Amino acid sequence: MQAKIIYKDIKHFILKVKPSLEVTLSVPRCASTQEIDHILQKRKKWIENALQRFQALQPKAPQEFVSGEDFEYLGKRYRLKVIPSTQEEVRINGGFVELLTKKEHDFLHKQRLIKRWYQDRAKECFGALLDFYATLLGFEVKTLRIRTMTTRWGSCNPKRASINLNLELIKKDKRGIEYVVLHELAHLKYPYHNQDFYRFVSLYMPDWKERKRQFLERI
């Protein structure tokens, strides 16, 4: 792990991990090498977790939507099978994601069909999990938005009682999705990652640390 050290006219150390996977540490001009090494060693685990999270969100090689490609859904890998058909449909059949389409050679058309399928499955899956945990917690969620996000798996707005979830989550294991859903719901009550927040999450999901670890390992 390499960190870019930036000397500034500041009083405190400022450590950042950027979505580009760049690690920067802004330090006072009088900071010693020993102090800098101490900060980096002390925050090593935090840096590694942040890098792992952003690496998981890095764009993957573009897909061509042709038979034989791998597609993920709820933590499992499926092989794409493009089937010429008079109907338009995407479905799971055994170990395959079958794409039935009238336009088997139209890349953009196939891309839209797959994305719409993911969005429909995400709306169904995320909505059910959100309803379950919101009812369990006694919270009201007014809005659920599902969209592609480049730096995080979810976010929330406590004032508006709204939750945003990353569409890419639908490709992950359901236990990991549950963790992200509960995590964002907890922020409606506790906006910051303090002891109260983690105590609350632990109360309703005692194994959240294991879920988070497995989730990060699989992405």
Side-chain angles (χ1 to χ4, degrees):
M1 176 199 68
Q2 293 292 328
K4 182 179 180 181
I5 310 302
I6 305 171
Y7 290 89
K8 291 184 173 181
D9 293 322
I10 55 178
K11 294 182 179 180
H12 304 288
F13 291 80
I14 303 173
L15 178 63
K16 294 182 179 179
V17 178
K18 301 178 181 180
S20 62
L21 307 182
E22 181 184 20
V23 180
T24 64
L25 178 62
S26 298
V27 305
R29 293 193 183 278
C30 61
S32 67
T33 302
Q34 290 78 11
E35 289 175 311
I36 294 172
D37 290 342
H38 174 73
I39 292 293
L40 291 175
Q41 188 60 36
K42 183 179 179 181
R43 301 301 302 278
K44 182 179 179 181
K45 188 64 177 178
W46 179 85
I47 294 171
E48 290 174 348
N49 287 340
L51 286 172
Q52 194 174 25
R53 185 172 69 252
F54 285 134
Q55 283 172 341
L57 289 162
Q58 292 295 304
K60 295 180 174 61
Q63 292 174 302
E64 299 180 13
F65 301 95
V66 295
S67 293
E69 285 187 309
D70 283 338
F71 278 77
E72 296 174 288
Y73 174 62
L74 292 181
K76 296 181 179 180
R77 290 185 182 275
Y78 295 88
R79 191 66 58 86
L80 181 66
K81 182 185 291 186
V82 180
I83 303 174
S85 174
T86 56
Q87 60 180 332
E88 303 280 345
E89 182 183 359
V90 180
R91 65 194 183 195
I92 295 289
N93 185 8
F96 293 92
V97 171
E98 295 183 339
L99 171 58
L100 284 70
T101 177
K102 303 173 184 176
K103 303 177 181 180
E104 61 178 303
H105 301 298
D106 188 328
F107 168 82
L108 291 177
H109 183 70
K110 291 185 290 183
Q111 183 184 53
R112 284 192 293 268
L113 289 176
I114 290 288
K115 185 173 182 178
R116 187 185 309 144
W117 179 77
Y118 272 132
Q119 288 173 327
D120 290 343
R121 301 288 74 74
K123 188 181 300 182
E124 179 182 317
C125 177
F126 300 171
L129 290 176
L130 196 61
D131 287 345
F132 173 80
Y133 281 103
T135 300
L136 181 66
L137 302 177
F139 291 173
E140 178 187 7
V141 178
K142 295 182 179 179
T143 308
L144 167 63
R145 293 187 179 89
I146 301 170
R147 56 194 181 89
T148 301
M149 305 166 75
T150 58
T151 61
R152 58 183 66 186
W153 293 111
S155 64
C156 77
N157 186 321
K159 291 184 179 180
R160 297 182 179 178
S162 67
I163 299 288
N164 299 305
L165 294 175
N166 193 329
L167 176 60
E168 290 293 303
L169 271 174
I170 196 60
K171 300 177 182 179
K172 311 307 176 186
D173 183 84
K174 194 171 181 180
R175 282 169 51 82
I177 300 174
E178 288 179 334
Y179 160 70
V180 175
V181 168
L182 179 60
H183 184 106
E184 297 307 329
L185 280 170
H187 277 311
L188 295 180
K189 185 177 179 68
Y190 300 104
Y192 305 105
H193 291 123
N194 54 25
Q195 288 186 346
D196 290 334
F197 171 84
Y198 288 113
R199 191 178 298 117
F200 185 80
V201 172
S202 297
L203 179 64
Y204 292 95
M205 189 177 286
D207 64 341
W208 71 267
K209 289 183 180 180
E210 178 66 15
R211 289 179 185 235
K212 180 181 180 181
R213 184 184 65 78
Q214 292 179 345
F215 177 66
L216 288 173
E217 284 180 352
R218 292 173 181 169
I219 56 184

